[in-house]
Amino acid sequence: MSFNVADIRNQFPILHQQVYKKDLVYLDNAATTQKPQRVIDVLDKYYQKYNANIHRGVHFLSSHCTDATESARKTVQEFINAAHSHEIVFTRGTTESVNLVAQTFAEKFIKKGDEIVVTRMEHHSNIVPWQMVCEKYGAELKVVDIHPDGQINMDSFKAALNEKVRLVAFTHVSNTLGTINNVKELTSSAHQQQIPVLIDGAQAVQHTHVDVQAIDADFYVFSGHKIYAPTGIGVLYGKEKWLEQLPPWQGGGEMIDQVTFEKTTFNELPFKFEAGTPNYIGAIALGEALDFVRSTGIDQIKAHEDALLTYAAEKIRQFDGIKIIGEAPEKSSVLSFVIDNIHPYDIGVLLDKTGIAVRTGNHCTQPLHDWYKVPGTVRASFALYNTKKEIDYFIEKLEQVLEMLK
Ligand code: PLP
């Protein structure tokens, strides 16, 4: 399969515009990705022609949307190589998926004195839901350390696993450091002690091949909007044996089997966890986005993004006083940095005026920033449609901005 970045860019209408009369250079892909025309077309087509609520209608439009939604579920299943399509639950995104697991898992399995383990590099979405349930059930949240280069400290990880631990939650790829964790090894360590794992794949699925069976993940979660799909749709993968054991989360339509005022019985998987009208058109568009990634080739995407990262990191290292936060050998296309005596926010604001979109702040990893003793970082994150020319422009403008701020 040949990878032609110009052809790819042509599929993303939003990239072909100017902001402040400058060509847009979008380097904020870890926050959200742009959408290819084919995903936009699917949304348009479904709202123009096919929209009808799913699973409960006998009429043509409803059957059509139901079939398309279930076909999207199969696409997700194949994309992450889940064993069954009923192990794929549609949610609003990573955050909702983590909350769903945290709350239902805790209700069933967590009691006073138990422990839940996370790592220092987690996004707030993979910290706060666990903190909340720990507080509610009297459990303790334990934190695994990292090395200064941004790799998980395996000694700390192994030391955290004891008989009180009920679950370990860790990210596949760090949204701040870019570190690609060895999720297979982490999972295997946890499993040696019979501890299940939840893996946050929000920054992984769009950059690297994910096989939940090869990883042996118990739960794997991600958001559609970070993989070229719309906002408001996400995925919770759970092994059947776990999803079967968890109680339902939200109550309402769709998730039930029989309802009387005396007692309600619940629907089978995955519908037990999909109360109310789901974002079915979002799910269908997610299927389209995954087909787009599949047909482009995840290995080609990764090779392109890796080359961009190496190129950008080499150039940025030449600036005086710069420190890259996150230098793990296995890295995804995230480049976070700080510069001596200059606030990241000022850099972000001035770059914006040149048409460059980067993110500044703590990227929802405040404990990680505290640990590095930095108030925030500037983060440039690359996707399959970015180019070396854009990076050259970014470096040129960064140099000018730093001159101004000196
Ligand atoms: N986990 C990681 C690693 C992320 O990067 C993000 C978003 O930035 C999330 C979780 C939360 O994703 P969402 O806001 O789509 O729920």
Side-chain angles (χ1 to χ4, degrees):
M1 223 177 296
S2 75
F3 184 93
N4 182 323
V5 70
D7 287 350
I8 285 171
R9 288 182 73 79
N10 281 336
Q11 298 176 53
F12 287 81
I14 203 169
L15 299 177
H16 306 281
Q17 65 170 311
Q18 296 201 319
V19 292
Y20 311 112
K21 301 201 173 110
K22 305 280 188 319
D23 288 344
L24 171 68
V25 174
Y26 186 77
L27 304 180
D28 193 17
N29 295 287
T32 200
T33 54
Q34 303 302 347
K35 317 307 168 197
Q37 189 63 51
R38 59 189 274 185
V39 169
I40 298 167
D41 287 346
V42 161
L43 293 170
D44 191 58
K45 181 171 85 181
Y46 271 82
Y47 284 116
Q48 298 244 19
K49 276 194 77 169
Y50 293 116
N51 179 44
N53 208 336
I54 56 170
H55 293 147
R56 43 182 101 151
V58 290
H59 58 81
F60 175 83
L61 293 182
S62 175
S63 309
H64 182 89
C65 278
T66 304
D67 291 350
T69 306
E70 293 314 314
S71 155
R73 202 186 301 275
K74 276 219 91 51
T75 303
V76 176
Q77 176 203 346
E78 287 163 13
F79 193 81
I80 58 170
N81 195 32
H84 310 286
S85 64
H86 60 252
E87 293 176 320
I88 306 298
V89 177
F90 286 124
T91 63
R92 279 195 302 128
T94 306
T95 303
E96 187 167 272
S97 299
V98 177
N99 276 276
L100 190 164
V101 177
Q103 289 174 33
T104 57
F105 188 90
E107 185 183 331
K108 178 92 181 188
F109 295 111
I110 305 289
K111 56 181 188 334
K112 198 168 168 19
D114 286 347
E115 293 178 2
I116 298 214
V117 172
V118 297
T119 80
R120 196 173 290 290
M121 69 172 77
E122 298 313 309
H123 187 279
H124 297 164
S125 302
N126 205 20
I127 300 173
V128 182
W130 302 111
Q131 216 166 32
M132 287 164 71
V133 296
C134 281
E135 197 150 302
K136 183 166 173 192
Y137 294 94
E140 209 176 323
L141 190 70
K142 289 288 172 88
V143 181
V144 169
D145 243 312
I146 62 169
H147 294 293
D149 70 354
Q151 295 189 81
I152 287 184
N153 179 330
M154 280 312 287
D155 292 337
S156 169
F157 187 82
K158 286 183 181 154
L161 305 177
N162 64 55
E163 68 291 348
K164 289 195 250 169
V165 178
R166 294 289 156 262
L167 184 138
V168 187
F170 50 85
T171 195
H172 192 162
V173 173
S174 161
N175 68 315
T176 301
L177 307 167
T179 312
I180 304 175
N181 287 317
N182 188 337
V183 284
K184 230 171 157 170
E185 187 188 358
L186 296 170
T187 303
S188 154
S189 290
H191 284 176
Q192 276 163 30
Q193 317 248 9
Q194 283 76 50
I195 302 167
V197 302
L198 177 140
I199 303 174
D200 173 353
Q203 298 291 346
V205 280
Q206 64 280 48
H207 301 300
T208 189
H209 186 246
V210 172
D211 180 332
V212 289
Q213 291 189 85
I215 297 167
D216 203 18
D218 299 289
F219 301 101
Y220 194 97
V221 300
F222 65 94
S223 300
H225 71 97
K226 292 184 196 283
I227 185 163
Y228 313 109
T231 49
I233 187 72
V235 169
L236 158 63
Y237 157 79
K239 274 185 191 162
E240 182 186 75
K241 73 165 186 187
W242 285 110
L243 293 181
E244 285 291 6
Q245 289 181 75
L246 298 183
W249 185 45
Q250 296 176 327
E254 293 290 330
M255 52 77 73
I256 47 85
D257 176 26
Q258 297 291 325
V259 179
T260 65
F261 282 113
E262 289 70 39
K263 187 171 169 55
T264 291
T265 54
F266 301 112
N267 206 339
E268 59 193 11
L269 294 176
F271 310 112
K272 175 172 109 174
F273 295 109
E274 292 181 353
T277 299
N279 180 4
Y280 52 91
I281 295 186
I284 296 164
L286 171 62
E288 188 70 21
L290 298 185
D291 276 340
F292 161 74
V293 170
R294 212 157 41 175
S295 64
T296 308
I298 195 83
D299 293 336
Q300 280 84 349
I301 293 172
K302 184 162 179 2
H304 175 73
E305 292 172 342
D306 284 353
L308 292 179
L309 177 70
T310 307
Y311 186 68
E314 258 169 34
K315 297 220 157 203
I316 218 166
R317 258 187 256 282
Q318 290 162 11
F319 290 115
D320 282 344
I322 197 151
K323 182 166 188 280
I324 295 177
I325 304 289
E327 299 252 41
E330 290 296 319
K331 253 194 90 163
S332 157
S333 53
V334 168
L335 187 59
S336 296
F337 59 92
V338 286
I339 298 187
D340 284 350
N341 305 321
I342 300 182
H343 200 284
Y345 178 82
D346 296 336
I347 298 173
V349 167
L350 291 175
L351 284 177
D352 174 50
K353 297 294 178 285
T354 70
I356 298 170
V358 291
R359 189 142 294 238
T360 63
N362 66 35
H363 322 304
C364 295
T365 55
Q366 201 183 327
L368 180 68
H369 280 75
D370 290 347
W371 188 75
Y372 277 105
K373 297 191 171 47
V374 291
T377 52
V378 180
R379 181 182 73 184
S381 50
F382 313 115
L384 84 176
Y385 39 63
N386 290 123
T387 63
K388 284 193 172 164
K389 194 167 151 232
E390 286 181 312
I391 290 172
D392 287 338
Y393 180 72
F394 164 57
I395 296 292
E396 180 195 323
K397 293 297 156 192
L398 182 61
E399 193 170 8
Q400 289 170 10
V401 162
L402 296 182
E403 264 314 302
M404 285 168 69
L405 292 171
K406 253 189 199 160

